[in-house]
Amino acid sequence: MGSTPVAPPRRIVGRVHEVRHDGTRVHLRTCPLCECMCGLELHLDDDDTVSLIRPFRDDVWSQGYICPKGTTLGRLHEDPDRVRTPLIREGDTFREATWDEAFARCEELIDGVLDRYGAAATTAFVGNPVGHSFSLGRYGALLFSKFPHIYSSGTVDQWPKNVTCALMYGNMWKIPTPDVRRTDYLVVMGGNPQASGGSLLACPDVLGELDAIKERGGQVVVIDPRRTGTVDHATEWVPIRPGTDAAFLLAVLHVLFADGLVTLGGLADKVAGFDALAPLVEEFTPESVDAWTGVPAGTIRRIAHDFATTPRAAVYGRIGLCNQEFGTLASWLVDVVNIVTGHFDVEGGLMWGTPVSAPLAWMNNTDVTGPPTFGRWRSRVRGAPEVLGQVPASCLAEEIATPGDGQIRLLVTVAANPAISVPDSDRLEEALPLLDCMIAVDNYVNETTRFAHVILPGVSPLESPHLDELMWGWAMRSAIKWSDALYALPDGASDEWEIEARLGWLLGGGSNADFDLAALDDGWFSALCRMYGLDPAEILPRYDHIGPERMIDLTIRMGPWGDRYGEVPDGLTLAKVKEHPEGLDFGPMVPRADAMVRTPSGKIELVPDHLVSDLPRLRTRLAEPHDGLVLVSRRHLRSKNSWMHNVKVLVKGRDRCTLIIHPDDAVAAGVVDGSRARVTSEAGSIEVPVEVSDEMMPGVVSLPHGWGHDRPGARLSVAREHAGVNSNILAPGGFVDVLSGNAAVNGIPVEVVPA
Ligand SMILES: Nc1nc2c(c(=O)[nH]1)N[C@H]1C(S)=C(S)[C@@H](COP(=O)(O)OP(=O)(O)OC[C@H]3O[C@@H](n4cnc5c(=O)[nH]c(N)nc54)[C@H](O)[C@@H]3O)O[C@H]1N2
Ligand SMILES: Nc1nc2c(c(=O)[nH]1)N[C@H]1C(S)=C(S)[C@@H](COP(=O)(O)OP(=O)(O)OC[C@H]3O[C@@H](n4cnc5c(=O)[nH]c(N)nc54)[C@H](O)[C@@H]3O)O[C@H]1N2
Ligand code: SF4
Ligand SMILES: [Mo]
């Protein structure tokens, strides 16, 4: 490893918001780390380092809310381990290179693979931070369209919800969210906002909202195998056996029909398939599922009644309902119970957000593209059917390691750490060194990128402008905030959208010599103009700059409050948004099914055949449940998946990578608090410290994901001191939610013994 300068260059390009009386300069920024999108004040020292990060109280959206991660953006920028110069592999190590050298090496490696094996041997893995970056997000298409197909963290996350939304509403990203600010009865299933900040639910202070529900006399019911920190803000905890939520919801529906509690409310004309529902749920009495789910029949009945009879109520399901064996059924039924009780597309129920800048992801609807079909192709080795263009992330390892036509030889990772984040991750670790070409766009030499031939540095969280896009689709209010980059990129560095554009060009057979960023960008921008019904020949001349900001301007201007290029005189433009560093707010969520639902029938498809086809599998499992211990995942407020464990203030203190186990199970397994256990599943075996606590329901143990930072060659000096162990070694790649191919990292049968 070559030497990296200890201090990164700090050339300030962002606007100063305020100079305090003591001379402190304050800049503003929205935190890019989670869906809370908190407004931050960055306080600058004389040497232009960030000395302090405080909540920005005047932010129209977050109004002073913040969490510990947000205070560390300066540390992430300064982290001496952060990759700031392109790195090229030399034997077992990396050498620092110029950008020209690095792109030349990329071209050489890409051409080598394309010449010998063709495009069929190439793929990419797209990670979570792409969803929080408009630069990576908007330009992803220029790169990812060059591969026959790609892999992503989406299939260890929300793929089941994407499947149900595509089928029910006509677009995989039109995900409804609970209106937590106006509801009086909220059921939280498989989500822990105390740790996550809320997911597919954008709201700055979710726990404060839960407290407020209680204060106005409402109820918050948390259904989770673990008594999480969220339960402290709830009125009731209902423990449930992992993977059984679909059965629970079927029983809720049974009660709703049996007891005459069903109504479509104002959506009667907007829903198709309603009549098919009652016969489906008939067999699922509460008594038929209580043993499997662990939820007493009386509790199921009570929740069904309270939910249906509270005028403003919502059921919300999140990752615990997706990353499980029946993820698509559970994700579907959550929406169904809201729809058939009149708690959908109304205040206090499940609603859609109205983003100020229309997300590109909402453009392709099935009324135009045709209804989604599944299994259009299968993965080469396992034969896994394609779902929404992807197969399970765990397939990647075997696609690299198994010889034959179509064997993967080239991988581009963009902001992803699959060697930790996907099931069977130890198999992926073994496979990555077999690649002829691996290019990583990332900020760290970590468990994944250590195998790359070239690492192209991503931007630090202070080097890029920021504006969230997708998240506002499920946000409590319509708001928009722009953040300037605080620091300029290092001289000669390529921004991430340029990297994506260039790699896409090279993968399409182009060369560095004839790479023309402006021409590519004009092409992509013109395509976007046409999607909005605009003539690019008229729009292009209005701009004197290229890049993501031009596109953001377009989507703001064509969005619900936009100026439509002059048609609406006082309408919004990016320039106007930039005049308001505190953000602009356009009010709470509003009913909008008419605009949102874009299925071929024009109606919400309540009972898609494809989803119903999975019920027999559920019946089989109901008849033959796993008994014995099962493993679930958890998050912690001070972590972000796998990549923030190199920030000292976030990892200090007690070991967080522990196996939490109920006291009875601990006795049965012969382990005690503070001892070490060996945990074994069908996929693998790990050793981990034990934490005995009745916060787990009996029969279920919990481990966090994102740890295991002891790998040779990874350059994470702080994380290495707090390495922990990678829980995904225990996750069997073949254990998936069948309809979506999404990983079932919850509900994994395991055995626990003393280490
Ligand atoms: N067992 C288990 N496994 C899980 C989960 C679970 O609950 N349990 N959760 C799953 C979920 S929901 C997700 S989303 C995945 C996450 O899976 P991944 O997306 O693969 O993992 P992250 O840990 O988020 O890694 C992000 C990577 O991006 C890099 N990075 C950070 N910021 C930037 C940036 O601005 N630019 C660039 N170029 N790179 C950047 C980091 O260095 C890191 O390498 O994990 C999944 N895995
Ligand atoms: N601090 C922090 N914030 C994050 C992240 C992070 O790593 N750290 N990651 C971000 C990402 S990528 C995502 S996707 C979101 C996820 O956000 P959340 O969905 O809120 O995720 P978790 O906090 O993991 O909570 C999942 C809960 O599901 C429960 N669970 C597990 N299996 C089952 C089951 O079968 N049924 C039920 N009912 N419950 C079950 C678990 O016990 C856990 O309490 O968080 C985001 N925010
Ligand atoms: S809750 Fe924390 S991580 Fe999430 S946006 Fe706010 S400060 Fe950032
Ligand atoms: Mo995620």
Side-chain angles (χ1 to χ4, degrees):
M1 175 68 59
S3 62
T4 301
V6 172
R10 299 185 204 100
R11 190 160 60 79
I12 296 199
V13 289
R15 289 165 296 174
V16 181
H17 175 64
E18 185 191 348
V19 180
R20 296 272 158 94
H21 53 83
D22 63 356
T24 305
R25 286 157 296 154
V26 176
H27 289 249
L28 298 180
R29 185 155 190 86
T30 292
C31 177
L33 295 175
C34 87
E35 295 183 18
C36 295
M37 303 185 281
C38 298
L40 309 175
E41 285 180 9
L42 313 177
H43 293 218
L44 263 59
D45 257 353
D46 292 342
D47 65 354
D48 293 341
T49 53
V50 174
S51 57
L52 181 70
I53 295 185
R54 311 245 316 138
F56 176 44
R57 291 185 197 288
D58 295 332
D59 186 288
V60 295
W61 163 256
S62 59
Q63 301 181 355
Y65 183 73
I66 191 176
C67 92
K69 293 186 296 303
T71 65
T72 66
L73 299 189
R75 293 171 205 264
L76 286 170
H77 181 77
E78 302 289 329
D79 186 347
D81 287 341
R82 182 169 63 79
V83 177
R84 298 176 201 132
T85 313
L87 300 175
I88 297 182
R89 168 164 304 286
E90 259 179 10
D92 284 342
T93 161
F94 289 103
R95 75 172 170 87
E96 289 188 356
T98 64
W99 283 86
D100 285 346
E101 286 173 312
F103 284 132
R105 183 67 181 137
C106 290
E107 181 177 338
E108 190 179 20
L109 290 165
I110 289 170
D111 286 352
V113 171
L114 290 180
D115 288 349
R116 287 175 65 192
Y117 308 107
T122 67
T123 196
F125 194 104
V126 183
N128 169 275
V130 174
H132 296 273
S133 157
F134 74 74
S135 162
L136 282 172
R138 291 243 166 169
Y139 284 79
L142 294 190
L143 171 57
F144 306 134
S145 62
K146 297 300 190 302
F147 304 102
H149 60 86
I150 61 164
Y151 297 82
S152 80
S153 58
T155 59
V156 198
D157 191 341
Q158 79 296 326
W159 225 242
K161 201 79 206 174
N162 292 138
V163 169
T164 62
C165 290
L167 288 167
M168 296 175 79
Y169 315 122
N171 184 302
M172 64 187 275
W173 290 108
K174 289 184 172 171
I175 300 175
T177 197
D179 180 14
V180 295
R181 291 205 167 137
R182 293 177 295 193
T183 200
D184 297 316
Y185 190 93
L186 180 66
V187 183
V188 178
M189 302 182 71
N192 181 18
Q194 184 276 329
S196 68
S199 178
L200 303 181
L201 185 185
C203 179
D205 179 11
V206 181
L207 298 181
E209 301 302 338
L210 303 190
D211 292 340
I213 294 172
K214 291 197 292 182
E215 275 156 31
R216 58 179 177 261
Q219 313 236 22
V220 179
V221 180
V222 175
I223 304 186
D224 196 300
R226 177 167 165 245
R227 196 178 66 232
T228 62
T230 299
V231 174
D232 296 340
H233 301 262
T235 45
E236 183 179 4
W237 172 44
V238 178
I240 189 166
R241 278 288 286 179
T244 68
D245 301 87
F248 169 85
L249 290 162
L250 286 164
V252 167
L253 285 165
H254 173 99
V255 175
L256 295 174
F257 278 101
D259 297 353
L261 296 168
V262 167
T263 168
L264 292 174
L267 287 179
D269 293 338
K270 197 73 198 167
V271 173
F274 176 74
D275 293 341
L277 191 58
L280 281 183
V281 303
E282 169 107 52
E283 69 189 278
F284 295 99
T285 61
E287 287 72 18
S288 71
V289 304
D290 63 354
W292 186 37
T293 59
V295 184
T299 306
I300 298 175
R301 287 211 161 77
R302 174 170 51 80
I303 291 173
H305 275 257
D306 290 350
F307 170 67
T309 55
T310 306
R312 303 206 291 185
V315 178
Y316 160 68
R318 206 17 312 249
I319 206 162
L321 264 61
C322 285
N323 281 350
Q324 57 143 292
E325 204 180 351
F326 297 99
T328 305
L329 284 180
S331 298
W332 166 50
L333 294 166
V334 162
D335 288 15
V336 170
V337 295
N338 285 287
I339 293 169
V340 303
T341 47
H343 296 321
F344 193 85
D345 199 39
V346 292
E347 285 182 17
L350 281 199
M351 301 186 84
W352 284 291
T354 309
V356 179
S357 163
L360 287 193
W362 281 10
M363 293 296 284
N364 285 317
N365 296 294
T366 63
D367 57 348
V368 175
T369 63
T373 49
F374 303 94
R376 290 166 294 175
W377 47 272
R378 285 179 176 264
S379 72
R380 184 178 61 100
V381 179
R382 193 184 302 183
E386 152 281 336
V387 177
L388 301 172
Q390 294 189 25
V391 291
S394 61
C395 292
L396 180 57
E398 69 215 24
E399 294 296 329
I400 296 170
T402 312
D405 255 7
Q407 180 181 6
I408 294 297
R409 312 278 182 164
L410 180 152
L411 172 70
V412 179
T413 64
V414 181
N417 194 3
I420 285 202
S421 53
V422 309
D424 271 339
S425 42
D426 45 350
R427 289 186 56 204
L428 186 59
E429 277 189 308
E430 285 164 20
L432 291 176
L434 305 176
L435 290 163
D436 291 356
C437 169
M438 177 174 164
I439 299 168
V441 185
D442 207 285
N443 294 344
Y444 287 96
V445 182
N446 62 19
E447 297 75 18
T448 297
T449 62
R450 69 194 168 112
F451 296 112
H453 298 97
V454 181
I455 303 181
L456 301 168
V459 298
S460 94
L462 299 180
E463 284 170 342
S464 54
H466 183 77
L467 180 138
D468 288 282
E469 190 180 26
L470 203 54
M471 311 305 153
W472 293 110
W474 45 77
M476 293 306 108
R477 297 183 73 83
S478 296
I480 188 165
K481 303 194 278 168
W482 169 266
S483 306
D484 293 333
L486 175 65
Y487 300 125
L489 284 175
D491 285 338
S494 286
D495 205 336
E496 293 183 303
W497 62 278
E498 301 176 43
I499 298 175
E500 286 185 327
R502 187 184 288 259
L503 291 179
W505 178 253
L506 297 178
L507 278 150
S511 68
N512 282 306
D514 57 15
F515 175 64
D516 182 343
L517 181 64
L520 271 182
D521 190 58
D522 281 351
W524 182 207
F525 181 78
S526 300
L528 221 70
C529 287
R530 283 184 214 104
M531 283 195 244
Y532 284 96
L534 298 167
D535 177 3
E538 249 172 58
I539 303 296
L540 270 168
R542 295 169 182 248
Y543 293 94
D544 59 6
H545 59 280
I546 65 164
E549 291 191 30
R550 179 168 68 171
M551 293 200 185
I552 295 291
D553 188 50
L554 169 74
T555 46
I556 290 174
R557 295 174 86 158
M558 297 307 288
W561 290 275
D563 80 339
R564 305 188 72 84
Y565 289 96
E567 250 177 62
V568 182
D570 291 326
L572 212 56
T573 62
L574 176 59
K576 285 190 189 161
V577 171
K578 285 184 177 183
E579 284 166 20
H580 294 273
E582 74 287 1
L584 288 166
D585 177 78
F586 296 91
M589 293 193 285
V590 292
R592 58 187 314 237
D594 283 335
M596 289 298 279
V597 177
R598 296 283 301 276
T599 52
S601 68
K603 297 191 175 189
I604 294 173
E605 294 295 341
L606 192 65
V607 190
D609 291 341
H610 187 66
L611 305 182
V612 175
S613 73
D614 205 26
L615 283 175
R617 192 172 65 94
L618 181 102
R619 281 191 205 103
T620 306
R621 174 64 75 223
L622 182 58
E624 298 160 22
H626 299 297
D627 27 60
L629 284 181
V630 293
L631 173 69
V632 296
S633 292
R634 68 173 188 271
R635 283 176 164 70
H636 193 284
L637 183 64
R638 301 174 86 90
S639 288
K640 177 74 206 281
N641 297 328
S642 74
W643 72 273
M644 285 186 69
H645 297 147
N646 213 47
V647 181
K648 214 174 262 169
V649 290
L650 293 179
V651 285
K652 70 176 189 215
R654 232 170 59 153
D655 192 356
R656 293 205 307 270
C657 186
T658 59
L659 180 82
I660 311 185
I661 184 168
H662 187 273
D664 296 348
D665 294 326
V667 170
V671 296
V672 295
D673 195 65
S675 72
R676 289 180 72 80
R678 175 151 289 282
V679 188
T680 305
S681 73
E682 166 201 323
S685 187
I686 60 172
E687 256 186 57
V688 62
V690 171
E691 208 179 322
V692 177
S693 167
D694 66 2
E695 75 190 46
M696 294 313 300
M697 73 185 283
V700 186
V701 292
S702 156
L703 277 172
H705 77 288
W707 298 86
H709 304 299
D710 54 356
R711 294 304 197 239
R715 190 177 175 201
L716 297 161
S717 50
V718 177
R720 187 176 292 283
E721 302 291 305
H722 307 262
V725 51
N726 177 3
S727 65
N728 278 324
I729 290 172
L730 297 173
F735 189 40
V736 295
D737 163 49
V738 170
L739 287 185
S740 65
N742 197 79
V745 293
N746 293 302
I748 302 168
V750 289
E751 195 175 89
V752 176
V753 296

